[in-house]
Amino acid sequence: GTTADVWTEDLRLEGAEAVATYADGPAAGKPAVTRRDLGDGAAWYVATRTSPQGTQALVDRWLAEAGVEPVAATSPGVEVVRRRADDGRSWVFVINHTEDERTVGLAGTDLLGHAEAGAGGLVVPAGAVAVVRED
């Protein structure tokens, strides 16, 4: 359920499964996205440039399949990374790459703004950075 443009590749399945096929054009019916189980994981191949929504759907599927969960609830344009010490303490680094303030679902102490991030989350101004010590 997405669109693709710019190029297509003529793929042949050799041990892989077609996850998506071209609906029309010169490659109609041929694989556009493939997946092959490999060891404890899988190898994926995308044979075209998908729309932003299609790319996001693929990335979401890959992350879910790999068991990767987001550090915090946020929105596009906000980068969130957790760092953990050997003793279990953790800090979350937030970079708001957007031109508007964003709320990030975190609890803890913002070490740069010296504010508490509570149940409502942490408001990070446009272009700003926050470092949250998780409690």
Side-chain angles (χ1 to χ4, degrees):
T2 187
T3 59
D5 63 2
V6 179
W7 74 87
T8 59
E9 294 182 35
D10 185 7
L11 299 184
R12 290 169 187 78
L13 297 174
E14 294 183 15
E17 64 176 303
V19 175
T21 58
Y22 296 105
D24 56 27
K30 293 186 178 180
V33 179
T34 65
R35 180 185 183 282
R36 180 178 179 174
D37 289 328
L38 195 60
D40 291 335
W44 288 75
Y45 188 75
V46 181
T48 188
R49 182 175 73 176
T50 59
S51 69
Q53 297 82 7
T55 301
Q56 188 63 57
L58 281 170
V59 170
D60 290 345
R61 182 170 174 180
W62 298 334
L63 292 173
E65 191 175 289
V68 175
E69 296 182 15
V71 172
T74 188
S75 58
V78 180
E79 182 178 347
V80 182
V81 177
R82 175 178 285 125
R83 296 290 183 243
R84 292 189 193 276
D86 290 338
D87 63 7
R89 294 176 300 153
S90 64
W91 299 264
V92 177
F93 296 77
V94 181
I95 305 171
N96 182 355
H97 295 282
T98 74
E99 296 180 6
D100 299 303
E101 74 177 24
R102 295 287 191 244
T103 301
V104 180
L106 287 172
T109 303
D110 176 7
L111 300 177
L112 301 179
H114 305 290
E116 291 296 317
L122 175 70
V123 176
V124 182
V129 174
V131 178
V132 177
R133 182 182 62 232
E134 294 184 294
D135 300 325

